[in-house]
Coordinates of all heavy atoms in Angstrom, one line a residue:
D134 N 8.1 34.4 27.7 CA 7.5 35.0 26.5 C 8.2 34.4 25.2 O 9.5 34.3 25.2 CB 7.6 36.5 26.5 CG 6.8 37.2 27.5 OD1 5.7 36.5 27.9 OD2 7.1 38.3 27.9
F136 N 8.2 31.4 24.1 CA 8.6 30.0 24.2 C 7.9 29.2 23.1 O 8.5 28.3 22.5 CB 8.3 29.5 25.6 CG 8.5 28.0 25.7 CD1 9.8 27.5 25.8 CD2 7.5 27.1 25.8 CE1 10.1 26.1 25.9 CE2 7.7 25.7 25.9 CZ 9.0 25.3 25.9
Q143 N 11.5 25.4 16.0 CA 12.4 24.3 16.1 C 11.7 23.0 15.6 O 12.4 22.2 14.9 CB 12.8 24.1 17.6 CG 13.7 25.2 18.1 CD 14.0 24.9 19.6 OE1 13.5 24.1 20.2 NE2 15.0 25.8 20.1
A147 N 13.0 20.8 12.3 CA 13.4 19.3 12.5 C 12.7 18.4 11.6 O 13.2 17.3 11.4 CB 13.1 18.9 14.0
P149 N 11.6 16.6 8.1 CA 12.2 16.5 6.8 C 11.6 17.2 5.7 O 10.4 17.6 5.8 CB 12.1 14.9 6.5 CG 11.0 14.5 7.3 CD 10.9 15.3 8.5
G153 N 7.8 16.6 -2.6 CA 7.1 17.3 -3.7 C 6.7 16.5 -4.9 O 5.5 16.6 -5.3
L155 N 5.3 13.3 -7.1 CA 4.5 12.2 -6.9 C 5.3 10.9 -7.1 O 5.1 9.9 -6.5 CB 3.3 12.2 -8.0 CG 2.3 11.0 -8.0 CD1 1.6 11.0 -6.7 CD2 1.4 11.1 -9.1
N157 N 8.4 10.4 -6.4 CA 9.2 10.1 -5.2 C 8.2 9.5 -4.1 O 8.6 8.6 -3.3 CB 9.8 11.4 -4.7 CG 11.0 11.7 -5.5 OD1 11.6 10.9 -6.1 ND2 11.4 13.0 -5.4
G162 N 6.7 4.7 -1.2 CA 5.6 3.8 -0.7 C 5.9 2.4 -1.1 O 5.4 1.4 -0.4
G164 N 8.9 1.0 -1.2 CA 10.0 0.5 -0.5 C 11.3 1.0 -1.1 O 12.4 0.3 -1.0
G165 N 11.3 2.1 -1.9 CA 12.5 2.6 -2.5 C 12.8 1.8 -3.8 O 12.0 1.0 -4.4
M166 N 14.0 1.9 -4.2 CA 14.5 1.2 -5.4 C 14.6 -0.3 -5.2 O 14.3 -1.0 -6.2 CB 15.9 1.8 -5.8 CG 15.9 3.1 -6.4 SD 14.8 3.4 -7.8 CE 15.5 2.4 -9.1
A167 N 14.8 -0.7 -4.0 CA 14.8 -2.2 -3.8 C 13.4 -2.7 -3.9 O 13.3 -3.8 -4.6 CB 15.3 -2.4 -2.3
G171 N 12.1 -5.4 -7.0 CA 11.5 -6.6 -6.6 C 10.2 -6.8 -7.4 O 9.9 -7.9 -7.9
D192 N -0.8 -26.9 -17.8 CA -1.3 -25.9 -18.7 C -2.5 -25.2 -18.1 O -3.4 -25.8 -17.6 CB -1.7 -26.6 -20.0 CG -1.9 -25.7 -21.1 OD1 -1.5 -24.6 -21.1 OD2 -2.6 -26.1 -22.1
I199 N -10.8 -25.7 -20.1 CA -11.2 -25.1 -21.4 C -10.6 -26.0 -22.5 O -9.5 -26.4 -22.5 CB -10.6 -23.7 -21.5 CG1 -11.2 -22.8 -20.5 CG2 -10.9 -23.1 -22.9 CD1 -10.6 -21.4 -20.4
P205 N -18.7 -21.9 -27.6 CA -19.6 -21.9 -26.3 C -21.0 -22.2 -26.6 O -21.5 -22.0 -27.7 CB -19.4 -20.4 -25.8 CG -19.0 -19.7 -27.1 CD -18.2 -20.6 -28.0
G211 N -30.8 -16.8 -26.5 CA -31.1 -15.9 -27.6 C -30.0 -15.2 -28.3 O -30.1 -14.4 -29.1
Y213 N -27.4 -17.1 -29.7 CA -26.8 -17.9 -30.9 C -27.8 -19.1 -31.1 O -28.3 -19.7 -30.2 CB -25.4 -18.5 -30.5 CG -24.9 -19.4 -31.5 CD1 -24.2 -19.0 -32.6 CD2 -24.9 -20.8 -31.2 CE1 -23.7 -19.9 -33.5 CE2 -24.4 -21.7 -32.1 CZ -23.7 -21.2 -33.3 OH -23.2 -22.0 -34.2

Side-chain angles (χ1 to χ4, degrees):
D134 292 337
F136 175 74
Q143 289 176 356
L155 178 63
N157 285 337
M166 288 305 291
D192 187 22
I199 298 174
Y213 176 79

